[in-house]
Amino acid sequence: MRLVVGEVIDREKVVAVVIVGDGKYDVEYVLKPLAVRFNGHDKILLLPQIRLKEFAGKPIGGIGLRKAVEAASTVIGMFRKDIIIVVDLEHVQNEDIKQILKEFFEAGKFNIVEKVFEARVRRGPYEANLFIVCMGCSEKLSIECNEAILIRDVLNVNVKADKKAIRKVLKDHGFRLSDLIIKAEMRILNTAFGNAIYVLNRFDS
């Protein structure tokens, strides 16, 4: 499986469209190497680079949960694929996710597993599975917490869940985050990114 940023020629290989609520580049650097760890190399997760006026002229990334769900309601008709929204916990904890979904979709079959909110949604004639993957932990309600857990387990270095601290540790040890994800045992990846892996497994059959 692989994450593709931008457009693809063969849309039949796309199994899901990824929309990022915030931290587009962090998510891209995590999801790209994670996807490689799974089988089905002909399967594509698509992170589209689409600029729409109704989303304040931003790419579909860094737009928050509500706007991400709104973007999903447009994307479902464009691609007719399942949708994965990745967002930090800090932007979800005070939100009524069910209510937000119902503003933009006919939604049902709600389920919550491993910090993943899952629903079956419909917009007009189009129906899909929608996953909201919430990154972060009690130490910090953002993806930096997941990254710090990975670094601690792979490099045995106690690093704060902070963007600058993470970058410094990686630089000092001569690694990129993607290097650690590629080399880590699956049990470590499950500890650091269990919710993302739960969703990726859904498309790995």
Side-chain angles (χ1 to χ4, degrees):
M1 193 182 303
R2 56 197 172 99
L3 178 74
V4 174
V5 180
E7 281 291 342
V8 292
I9 296 173
D10 189 356
R11 291 196 179 187
E12 290 302 314
K13 292 183 178 180
V14 175
V15 293
V17 175
V18 179
I19 297 173
V20 181
D22 49 54
K24 185 173 92 69
Y25 296 105
D26 277 334
V27 171
E28 183 182 335
Y29 295 150
V30 167
L31 278 186
K32 265 192 174 180
L34 269 182
V36 171
R37 297 293 302 268
F38 290 81
N39 295 324
H41 297 293
D42 58 336
K43 296 180 180 179
I44 293 174
L45 301 175
L46 178 63
L47 180 58
Q49 291 182 320
I50 303 171
R51 293 182 179 272
L52 301 171
K53 290 182 180 179
E54 58 265 44
F55 304 121
K58 296 181 180 179
I60 300 187
I63 55 179
L65 177 61
R66 183 178 296 275
K67 283 291 184 183
V69 173
E70 185 180 353
S73 70
T74 298
V75 165
I76 191 174
M78 296 171 64
F79 295 98
R80 305 177 192 182
K81 302 291 182 179
D82 289 342
I83 298 166
I84 303 169
I85 294 174
V86 184
V87 65
D88 285 344
L89 275 169
E90 63 185 346
H91 300 298
V92 175
Q93 58 179 348
N94 297 319
E95 297 281 7
D96 185 337
I97 297 177
K98 286 186 181 180
Q99 185 56 43
I100 292 174
L101 287 177
K102 288 178 179 178
E103 289 179 26
F104 301 101
F105 294 101
E106 295 176 41
K109 295 184 180 179
F110 299 104
N111 189 32
I112 301 176
V113 180
E114 292 284 342
K115 295 181 187 173
V116 176
F117 190 96
E118 181 179 348
R120 186 70 181 170
V121 297
R122 177 186 290 274
R123 176 83 171 187
Y126 308 115
E127 190 172 355
N129 295 309
L130 185 146
F131 304 89
I132 299 176
V133 180
C134 304
M135 306 304 292
C137 63
S138 57
E139 181 182 348
K140 187 171 185 179
L141 303 178
S142 66
I143 197 170
E144 285 81 18
C145 187
N146 306 83
E147 294 170 355
I149 291 170
L150 175 72
I151 291 170
R152 291 166 193 161
D153 286 347
V154 175
L155 298 180
N156 197 27
V157 174
N158 190 18
V159 61
K160 284 179 60 179
D162 173 81
K163 194 179 295 291
K164 288 184 179 179
I166 288 169
R167 286 176 178 171
K168 184 178 186 306
V169 168
L170 290 172
K171 183 178 180 181
D172 289 348
H173 286 77
F175 287 109
R176 297 171 299 179
L177 191 66
S178 59
D179 297 329
L180 301 189
I181 292 173
I182 293 296
K183 73 178 288 188
E185 296 177 18
M186 189 56 74
R187 63 174 181 81
I188 291 176
L189 293 179
N190 269 305
T191 301
F193 303 107
N195 52 354
I197 288 174
Y198 168 80
V199 173
L200 292 178
N201 271 319
R202 297 288 296 271
F203 299 99
D204 194 39
S205 57

